[in-house]
């Protein structure tokens, strides 16, 4: 019997246990989406390929199995490059399937003709085009396998338009089964015992947990390690919740101090890139001993020469460390000078934040808004966060208690990921943890990148709560009066600050337009009421537009993650 290219693609994805597909259909890929639905893959039609690709990549992080992004040729493919790059930078598995022009029209200036396979190589671990229908299952198996083996990343498969409806006899197809789960490798024994003795001799140890540890599902072993050895730990932004943020050993509120004075640092699936100031002075000690645990050999030794290198799966290597510590018990004393210093710093920083959070002045500041959000949201919700100040201050103010429940701009610092990530998280939660709520906290500028995905959210009835922290701009904005004054000077294109957006924009009306609930909020009471109503109604998506002081920023040098000097 005959089978079409579209059916082959759908059946091959299903055979590799792919569950979700996001995209924007059109010539020549529409039939692929229809075929995917026919075999039981969930298809979510998005409003822009960029958001679709972000959504598919988040599925890979949340489930360990790549999501698929389906795009048309030329511009459709190009709009998905942001998502491919973001996935590869974050080390998340992703499959992108792009239609391309018919083979018999190559070089002729075909509709949306573009060298997609070559272009894809920069952004992907693998960029391929099957040479015939018969090999599609094998190519898809290789792409899925490549995306999840070793350091995860994005893979691109190019499908010529004429392949989609072309038919071939089933018997001539090279069928392949599902790839084996990724093998978990362990570190060399000698490296493990070397690491353990370095930790045992340290005076001021620090454990830094990265999102690689979250992807590796290492939370149980890492929690055990923290408790067994009594080590202070610092999560990178998306690693929050691997060990709960309220754990007594969490030193996130004394981040600068912890980094600057630690004599031994254990990196668990975190890279010494810009987020950790490259591991270099003045942010770190000149003589800091780094124990690096990573799945990617090429990452070992970047920027700082490590004292010990443990190449392997984070979960497996953490287990090795635990076994070694059970033979040579180490309990780092909680009354040490190091702990005293860290605790003092934590107290000071938390007091400062608390002072700002309890300010009664209107319009509200960031801290007040986050204080009320923190009081009301469920402990186990999935938090999606993006923006400049909104994301930075939100990271310090909104705690995570469970792994893989914070999604943000990530290693690549990508703005525009929020709504795509939220759609993905809501789809996965609906299937795997019904009742778990998705809260998306956005800056007003960040929301603008993919604001139309609100329609997607309403179409699939995903009860996401979007909170826009609205300061009328990027970093800072103008209030309505200052805006009016500004316009007296002439054309806004010549006199309005480049960071400004229109004051008092009613973003909540976008949600109302599609049948969700919108709230416009100016006071703490209104915020509490809107949030309570949104969280209680678990059937309807909602958007709370929170107006804050356009000049509100963060307190001086608070967690200097993103000050211009270290970008």
């Amino acid at each position: 019997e005959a089978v079409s290219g579209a059916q082959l693609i759908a059946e091959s994805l299903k055979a590799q246990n792919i569950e979700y597909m996001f995209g924007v259909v059109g010539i020549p890929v529409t039939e692929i989406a229809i075929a995917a639905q026919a075999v039981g893959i969930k298809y979510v039609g998005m409003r822009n390929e960029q958001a679709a690709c972000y959504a598919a990549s988040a599925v890979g992080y949340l489930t360990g199995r790549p999501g698929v992004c389906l795009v048309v040729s030329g511009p459709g493919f190009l709009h998905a490059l942001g998502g491919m790059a973001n996935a590869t930078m974050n080390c998340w598995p992703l499959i992108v399937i792009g239609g391309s022009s018919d083979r018999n029209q190559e070089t002729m200036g075909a509709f949306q003709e573009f060298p997609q396979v070559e272009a894809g190589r920069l952004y992907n671990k693998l960029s391929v085009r099957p040479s015939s229908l018969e090999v599609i299952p094998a190519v898809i198996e290789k792409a899925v396998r490549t995306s999840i083996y070793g350091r995860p990343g994005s893979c691109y498969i190019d499908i010529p338009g004429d392949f989609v409806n072309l038919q071939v006899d089933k018997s001539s197809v090279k069928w392949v089964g599902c790839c084996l789960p990724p093998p978990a490798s362990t570190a060399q024994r000698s490296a493990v015992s070397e690491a353990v003795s370095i930790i045992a001799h340290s005076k001021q140890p620090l454990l830094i947990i990265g999102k690689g540890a979250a992807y590796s599902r290492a939370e149980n072993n890492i929690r055990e390690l923290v408790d067994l050895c009594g080590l202070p730990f610092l999560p990178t932004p998306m690693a929050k919740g691997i060990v709960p943020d309220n754990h007594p050993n969490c030193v996130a509120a004394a981040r600068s101090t912890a980094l600057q004075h630690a004599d031994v640092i254990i990196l668990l699936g975190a890279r010494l890139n810009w987020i950790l100031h490259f591991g270099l002075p003045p942010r770190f000690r000149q003589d800091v001993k780094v124990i690096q645990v990573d799945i990617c050999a090429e990452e070992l030794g970047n920027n700082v020469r490590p004292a010990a290198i443990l190449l392997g799966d984070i979960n497996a290597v953490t287990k090795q460390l635990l076994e070694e510590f059970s033979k040579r018990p180490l309990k780092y004393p909680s009354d040490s000078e190091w702990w005293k210093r860290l605790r003092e710093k934590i107290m000071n920083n938390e007091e400062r934040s608390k002072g700002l959070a309890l300010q009664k002045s209107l319009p509200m500041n960031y801290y007040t808004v986050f204080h009320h959000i923190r009081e009301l949201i469920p402990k186990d919700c999935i938090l999606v966060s993006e923006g400049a100040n909104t994301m930075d201050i939100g990271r310090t103010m909104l705690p995570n208690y469970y792994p893989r429940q914070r999604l943000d701009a990530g290693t690549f610092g990508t703005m525009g990921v929020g709504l795509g990530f939220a759609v993905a998280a809501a789809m996965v939660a609906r299937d795997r943890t019904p009742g778990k709520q998705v809260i998306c906290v956005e800056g007003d500028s960040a929301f603008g990148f993919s604001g139309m995905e609100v329609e997607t959210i309403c179409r699939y009835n995903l009860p996401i709560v979007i909170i826009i922290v609205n300061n009328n701009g990027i970093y800072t904005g103008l209030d309505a009066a200052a805006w009016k004054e500004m316009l007296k000077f002439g054309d806004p294109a010549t006199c309005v600050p480049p960071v400004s957006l229109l004051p008092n924009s009613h973003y909540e009306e976008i949600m109302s337009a599609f049948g969700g609930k919108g709230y416009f909020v100016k006071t703490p009471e209104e915020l509490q009421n809107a949030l309570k109503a949104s969280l209680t109604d678990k059937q309807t998506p909602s958007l709370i537009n929170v107006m804050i002081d356009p000049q509100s920023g963060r307190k001086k040098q608070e967690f200097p993650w993103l000050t211009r000097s270290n970008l």
Side-chain angles (χ1 to χ4, degrees), residues 461-484:
N461 200 27
L462 302 169
I464 295 164
V465 179
I466 299 171
I467 302 169
I468 296 179
V469 185
N470 190 347
N471 69 343
N472 303 338
I474 306 174
Y475 307 117
T476 64
L478 299 170
D479 59 26
W483 177 263
K484 224 171 162 173

Side-chain angles (χ1 to χ4, degrees), residues 360-364 368-369 372 520-530 544-548:
K360 291 277 184 275
S361 56
L362 291 177
M364 294 181 281
T368 311
V369 171
H372 290 294
F520 185 74
V521 160
K522 286 185 159 175
T523 67
E525 294 69 43
E526 290 171 352
L527 173 58
Q528 287 171 328
N529 294 338
I544 305 172
N545 184 11
V546 187
M547 302 310 298
I548 64 162

Side-chain angles (χ1 to χ4, degrees), residues 200-275:
H201 288 103
S202 68
K203 300 270 184 291
Q204 296 174 180
L206 177 66
L207 188 62
I208 298 181
I209 307 169
K211 67 177 171 299
Y215 181 82
S216 165
R217 307 285 187 279
E219 53 269 14
N220 294 341
N221 282 327
I222 292 177
R223 285 176 189 186
E224 201 178 320
L225 182 70
V226 168
D227 291 335
L228 185 74
C229 301
L231 299 170
F233 74 90
L234 176 72
T236 63
M238 269 195 269
K240 278 160 57 75
I242 291 177
V243 185
D245 280 344
N246 61 352
H247 190 285
N249 290 33
C250 178
V251 296
R255 181 178 188 270
S256 301
T257 305
L259 295 179
Q260 210 168 358
H261 301 290
D263 62 352
V264 169
I265 286 176
I266 305 109
L267 284 177
L268 287 176
R271 293 170 277 183
L272 291 177
N273 55 21
W274 66 278
I275 291 181

Side-chain angles (χ1 to χ4, degrees), residues 25-62:
V25 293
I27 296 168
V29 301
T30 308
E31 291 85 351
I32 298 174
I34 295 168
Q37 283 181 320
V39 298
I41 293 172
K42 295 187 171 168
Y43 176 78
V44 178
M46 307 282 285
R47 301 307 302 267
N48 181 301
E49 290 88 359
Q50 204 174 44
C53 208
Y54 294 144
S57 70
V59 163
Y61 174 61
L62 294 169

Side-chain angles (χ1 to χ4, degrees), residues 399-411:
N400 289 85
Y401 303 98
Y402 300 95
R404 295 170 298 282
Q405 296 200 351
R406 179 186 163 85
L407 296 165
D408 68 19
T411 304

